[in-house]
Amino acid sequence: MAEVLSKLTSKRLRRAAELAFGPILLLAVWWLAAKGGWVNKDLLPSPIDTLRDTAANIWSGSMTKDFTRTMLRVAYSLVIAIIAGVPVGIVLGAKAAVYRSVEFIIDFFRSTPATAMFPLFLLLFGLGDLAKIAVAAFAAWLVIVFNVAYGVMNARQTRILAARSMGASSLRIFRDVIFFETLPQTFIGLRTAVSLALVVIIVAEMFIGATDGMGHRIIDAQISYSLTDMYGSILVAGAMGYGLNLILLFLERSVIHWSGK
């Protein structure tokens, strides 16, 4: 028993060390660049000063407000994209001929930078939050539609044929076979979509009349030459994206534990 616990502890410590290596390496290179004069010291504050200032901003609540506003915008855009994208992806993927007929439209807009759509969405929705959420939801929607449709089209035919041979109806085949076969590809689409939605929201907050949010905070700190705040806000925005991806990975492993089997 003691040997098992020792091995488990050793494995956890090794895993923790692997996870910590990346952040430590980043901070070490940053510190060397700042102290060694690799970059103009007026343009790159030390990581210690940046982290201290960031902690103070979080503690005071000023950064927490911006973080929350950005997170809400990303959440709204992702929910809209999921609600509108999953059913459309299923319909398109169920019939290959239907998907081929609209494949050009989907691929065209999926390949178009979402930021190029800002003027159109500004004309349609104005300068408020609705425009930011709409353009992010549109970009995420395209990714979800593509991945869900791809998942439906590539569902394992052997399982579908087995269900049909046992007399299952089309509805039951979809509910009990195709739906679950589609989930792995759907989660890939969700992880891509949430990253894209976050990028679009951050950029929109920078340039489309925002008064709060992490994007607005970054550009405002850059204009006022508050470099520790700027670098700290960039780190927090990156941590937000990393955290959202981890949450989706956890859900994916919990929900589709049979993936690959």
Side-chain angles (χ1 to χ4, degrees):
M1 184 65 179
E3 184 179 352
V4 173
L5 289 175
S6 177
K7 289 182 178 179
L8 183 60
T9 302
S10 177
K11 184 178 180 180
R12 288 177 177 176
L13 288 174
R14 185 168 60 252
R15 177 60 176 165
E18 291 172 353
L19 292 174
F21 178 77
I24 292 173
L25 178 62
L26 173 63
L27 293 175
V29 172
W30 183 354
W31 184 84
L32 289 173
K35 293 298 182 182
W38 299 356
V39 180
N40 188 333
K41 64 180 181 180
D42 294 328
L43 301 178
L44 183 66
S46 75
I48 296 173
D49 293 338
T50 300
L51 293 176
R52 185 188 301 117
D53 186 56
T54 302
N57 288 329
I58 294 173
W59 181 260
S60 68
S62 63
M63 187 176 286
T64 304
K65 177 186 175 184
D66 291 316
F67 182 93
T68 302
R69 292 299 300 166
T70 296
M71 185 67 79
L72 284 174
R73 290 174 182 132
V74 172
Y76 288 145
S77 62
L78 192 63
V79 168
I80 293 170
I82 292 172
I83 293 174
V86 172
V88 173
I90 290 172
V91 171
L92 294 180
K95 296 290 184 180
V98 175
Y99 181 81
R100 285 195 298 269
S101 66
V102 296
E103 185 176 10
F104 168 78
I105 298 175
I106 295 174
D107 285 347
F108 177 81
F109 283 106
R110 193 168 59 87
S111 303
T112 302
T115 50
M117 306 294 289
F118 282 168
L120 173 60
F121 281 85
L122 284 174
L123 288 175
L124 294 174
F125 300 106
L127 289 171
D129 273 2
L130 188 57
K132 301 177 186 64
I133 293 170
V135 69
F138 178 72
W141 176 81
L142 290 169
V143 173
I144 290 173
V145 167
F146 172 80
N147 279 276
V148 172
Y150 183 82
V152 173
M153 287 188 292
N154 289 275
R156 296 183 188 178
Q157 295 300 314
T158 52
R159 294 183 178 179
I160 295 174
L161 291 173
R164 283 178 180 164
S165 68
M166 290 186 285
S169 64
S170 297
L171 179 61
R172 185 159 187 182
I173 290 173
F174 169 76
R175 187 189 67 190
D176 295 341
V177 181
I178 296 178
F179 175 76
F180 290 101
E181 287 284 315
T182 305
L183 283 179
Q185 191 65 36
T186 299
F187 268 95
I188 292 174
L190 287 176
R191 285 191 280 119
T192 306
V194 73
S195 297
L196 182 58
L198 178 60
V199 170
V200 173
I201 289 294
I202 291 288
V203 175
E205 289 173 345
M206 287 180 173
F207 303 112
I208 304 183
T211 58
D212 52 26
M214 296 306 299
H216 173 266
R217 188 181 187 92
I218 291 169
I219 201 69
D220 191 51
Q222 184 262 331
I223 292 171
S224 62
Y225 202 67
S226 179
L227 295 185
T228 54
D229 192 12
M230 185 188 77
Y231 282 101
S233 298
I234 292 172
L235 288 176
V236 171
M240 182 190 299
Y242 183 72
L244 289 171
N245 187 64
L246 283 182
I247 291 171
L248 287 174
L249 277 174
F250 174 78
L251 289 175
E252 180 179 354
R253 290 167 182 168
S254 300
V255 174
I256 52 173
H257 49 82
W258 70 88
S259 180
K261 298 178 181 179

